[in-house]
Amino acid sequence: NKNLKIIEKIKIKFLKKKFNNQSQIKVKNYTININSRQIIFENKKLKLTEKEINTIVYISNSQQPVNPIELQKKVWGYQSDLETHTVETHIYRLRKKFLNFFGDSDFIGSTKNGYKTNKKNPLIQKLFSKKYKPRIIKSKKGKGSFTRKKKVKD
């Protein structure tokens, strides 16, 4: 009887662990906990709504940018042809939360085709932006090494 209770406790712990592992999703450097509706980054936990979690997960699972109409149908369940700014408003508020809480202004990006989670690390993106473009030095033709121009003294 004692053995059955121990086995039962082990099974329960195993099921809880399995359930918790299935409820966590990685998006960029963040971990989303579906059960608690929290997104975690560097020990900071931000509580999100169910729609916000669903929006992030849907966008991050897409290989292509997701347009607002697709989000409206898939996440909100709206089948209407009426123009609504529900998606744009939610994306705006979600971006604001990420900026204020995590200091991340690049979590959800916009393209002409829709929204996407920027998969690249923003620090790496800054390093290779036009502002930090590396200087390329070309060698002179026929020379095996680089030559420097001599300074002319006045």
Side-chain angles (χ1 to χ4, degrees), residues 17-31:
K17 186 153 180 77
K18 187 176 176 184
F19 180 74
N20 286 334
N21 287 343
Q22 289 176 341
S23 68
Q24 293 195 350
I25 298 170
K26 291 288 277 179
V27 177
K28 290 177 58 172
N29 298 329
Y30 298 89
T31 302

Side-chain angles (χ1 to χ4, degrees), residues 58 66-84 87-88 113-115:
Y58 190 83
V66 181
N67 69 37
I69 295 166
E70 182 180 348
L71 278 173
Q72 196 171 308
K73 288 178 182 174
K74 300 292 183 177
V75 176
W76 277 266
Y78 293 169
Q79 298 295 329
S80 173
D81 290 334
L82 297 175
E83 189 171 322
T84 176
V87 173
E88 290 88 346
N113 298 326
Y115 301 109

Side-chain angles (χ1 to χ4, degrees), residues 18-53:
K18 187 176 176 184
F19 180 74
N20 286 334
N21 287 343
Q22 289 176 341
S23 68
Q24 293 195 350
I25 298 170
K26 291 288 277 179
V27 177
K28 290 177 58 172
N29 298 329
Y30 298 89
T31 302
I32 297 175
N33 186 316
I34 302 291
N35 297 332
S36 65
R37 289 194 215 132
Q38 290 180 328
I39 189 155
I40 304 151
F41 177 69
E42 293 181 350
N43 296 325
K44 286 182 162 184
K45 295 179 180 181
L46 175 63
K47 190 89 168 145
L48 297 174
T49 66
E50 188 175 353
K51 289 285 187 228
E52 289 170 331
I53 293 285

